Amino acid sequence: MGELFVVGMSWRTAPVAIREKLAFREEEVPGVVSHLVAQPGVQEALLISTCNRVEVYGVGDAAEPSARATRAFLMAQRSLPPSELGNALYQHHGPQAVRHVFRVASALDSLVVGEAQILGQLKSAYGVAGQVGATGPTLARCLERAFGVAKRVRSETSIARGAANVSSV
C-alpha cells in the first residue's frame, strides 16, 4: 500500500494565465492519467483540470519521490520549465493530502466557498481514472470518504445556503 500525495495549482497559487498553461482538455485526461500511473513509483492517480485548479491526486511507493516525478511529468507534458511556474505548484503528502482532498470536495477550497460544482468535477475525474484502471484501494477509500464528508458539510452546515458559482458571482 502506498502513500497519498497531491500535486497541483489553484486559484490561490497561480493566476489564470499560468493555470491555463498547465490545464488539460477533457479528452486529454484519460491518456494523461494512464501515463501518470506508468511513471516510476506512481501506483494510482487521477487528474482534475478545471478553470480554477489543476491537480493530481495520487498514490505512490513513497509520497515525496512520487510527487516529484508527477511535478516533472506535468511540466514535461506542457513543455513548461520550472522557472515559468515559480512557486505555483504545491504538493501535499499523507494527512495533509487527505485534508486537502476533503477541503476541495467540500468546496472549502473553492473560489466561491460552498459552490457544488467542484464535487461533481471531482467525481467525474475519479470516474475517468477508474475507467483507465488508474485507481486502486487507497484513492478509492480517500475519495469515498471525501464524498461522504462533502455530503455532511452540505447537509449539516449552512455552507450551501446562498452558494453560487464563479460565473454567477
Side-chain angles (χ1 to χ4, degrees):
M1 191 140 123
E3 296 181 73
L4 185 70
F5 67 88
V6 176
V7 173
M9 67 172 53
S10 74
W11 61 276
R12 290 183 189 273
T13 63
V16 69
I18 298 294
R19 292 192 313 267
E20 286 177 348
K21 289 181 180 185
L22 193 64
F24 294 88
R25 294 183 314 277
E26 187 176 338
E27 61 271 12
E28 292 178 291
V29 173
V32 171
V33 172
S34 293
H35 284 95
L36 269 167
V37 293
Q39 300 302 302
V42 179
Q43 302 165 359
E44 305 176 38
L46 75 78
L47 169 67
I48 184 163
S49 185
T50 72
C51 58
N52 288 320
R53 73 181 63 247
V54 177
E55 292 179 329
V56 171
Y57 300 164
V59 176
D61 296 336
E64 176 62 33
S66 299
R68 271 197 317 271
T70 299
R71 287 173 73 99
F73 173 83
L74 291 172
M75 289 186 285
Q77 287 292 300
R78 294 298 188 236
S79 301
L80 293 171
S83 60
E84 194 162 345
L85 295 177
N87 293 324
L89 278 178
Y90 48 78
Q91 58 188 69
H92 305 292
H93 313 106
Q96 293 82 13
V98 172
R99 183 175 190 266
H100 181 79
V101 174
F102 283 16
R103 287 182 55 79
V104 170
S106 300
L108 296 174
D109 189 55
S110 294
L111 184 57
V112 178
V113 173
E115 60 87 13
Q117 189 176 14
I118 188 63
L119 181 59
Q121 292 165 332
L122 188 54
K123 286 180 176 182
S124 176
Y126 179 53
V128 169
Q131 289 171 358
V132 298
T135 60
T138 304
L139 270 181
R141 190 168 47 252
C142 179
L143 288 168
E144 287 165 14
R145 288 303 275 282
F147 299 153
V149 166
K151 183 178 179 181
R152 276 190 74 189
V153 166
R154 295 191 74 69
S155 65
E156 295 179 19
T157 71
S158 60
I159 193 171
R161 190 174 330 149
N165 58 37
V166 175
S167 59
S168 67
V169 171

